[in-house]
């Protein structure tokens, strides 16, 4: 079975474990993304009309640009692995905090939820994929990264069928409690990828000189 999967996915010899870790990491991150995009739109539209979405998107774009600029400035010192770990942990805290705030049922909280989910996802996805790229060398990246992308495709496909049913069953608010569980799994898998697959020199950023 292992040899069959290796041949079907064209996994380079000796990289089966690395491919499995990358697929798992990207799958869990993408599954959380599917849940959060559903929660984002569902919660927002409960309080605002569709005509308000461009305003929320504009605020999200500014927030994402600010967060991305901060990541760019920190990247040389922290490196992709630390930034990815930090983005996952920050997002988990944000989601749990938003779920508590949503107990107030205030419309501005739903606007804030839209903005923070959008901006946080933008940062997290880039940083996790950066770690996946760091786990590959120039020779294996062309094969392993598309294989890792299968995790994303699978998550979006499964989510497309299950998330609407799940949302109807438990409500959009509760998706903010399920997504952090997947993000914890992403974090644990990412740490394994960093420990086993990322070159030690790439795990830490460069110290500032001068």
């Amino acid at each position: 079975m292992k040899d069959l999967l290796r041949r079907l996915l064209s996994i380079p010899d000796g990289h089966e474990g690395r491919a499995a870790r990358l697929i798992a990491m990207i799958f869990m991150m993408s599954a959380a993304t599917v849940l959060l995009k559903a929660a984002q739109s569902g919660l927002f539209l409960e309080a605002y009309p569709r005509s308000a979405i461009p305003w929320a998107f504009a605020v999200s774009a500014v927030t994402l640009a600010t967060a991305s600029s901060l990541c760019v400035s920190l990247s040389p010192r922290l490196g992709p692995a630390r930034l990815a770990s930090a983005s996952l942990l920050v997002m988990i805290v944000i989601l749990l905090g938003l779920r508590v705030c949503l107990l107030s049922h205030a419309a501005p909280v739903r606007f804030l939820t839209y903005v923070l989910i959008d901006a946080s996802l933008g940062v997290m996805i880039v940083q996790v994929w950066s770690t996946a790229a760091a786990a590959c060398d120039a020779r294996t990246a062309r094969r392993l990264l598309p294989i890792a992308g299968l995790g994303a495709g699978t998550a979006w496909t499964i989510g497309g069928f299950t998330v609407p049913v799940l949302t109807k069953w438990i409500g959009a608010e509760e998706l903010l409690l399920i997504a952090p569980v997947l993000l914890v799994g992403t974090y644990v898998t990412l740490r394994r990828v960093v420990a086993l697959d990322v070159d030690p020199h790439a795990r830490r950023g460069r110290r500032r000189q001068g």
Side-chain angles (χ1 to χ4, degrees), residues 95-139:
L95 293 176
L96 296 177
L98 287 173
R99 182 61 188 93
V100 173
C101 292
L102 284 168
L103 295 174
S104 67
H105 301 289
V109 174
R110 294 169 186 266
F111 190 98
L112 180 64
T113 298
Y114 186 102
V115 170
L116 290 181
I117 286 178
D118 213 42
S120 299
L121 281 176
V123 171
M124 180 193 70
I125 291 171
V126 169
Q127 298 306 326
V128 172
W129 271 107
S130 295
T131 302
C136 306
D137 55 34
R139 182 175 58 85

Side-chain angles (χ1 to χ4, degrees), residues 30-80:
S30 300
T33 301
V34 176
L35 291 173
L36 292 174
K37 296 302 287 185
Q40 178 191 37
S41 59
L43 291 169
F44 185 83
L45 293 175
E46 287 178 2
Y48 295 92
R50 290 187 179 275
S51 59
I53 291 180
W55 293 102
F57 184 80
V59 177
S60 300
V62 173
T63 305
L64 175 57
T66 303
S68 297
S69 298
L70 178 62
C71 288
V72 169
S73 66
L74 292 175
S75 180
R77 283 176 285 176
L78 298 182

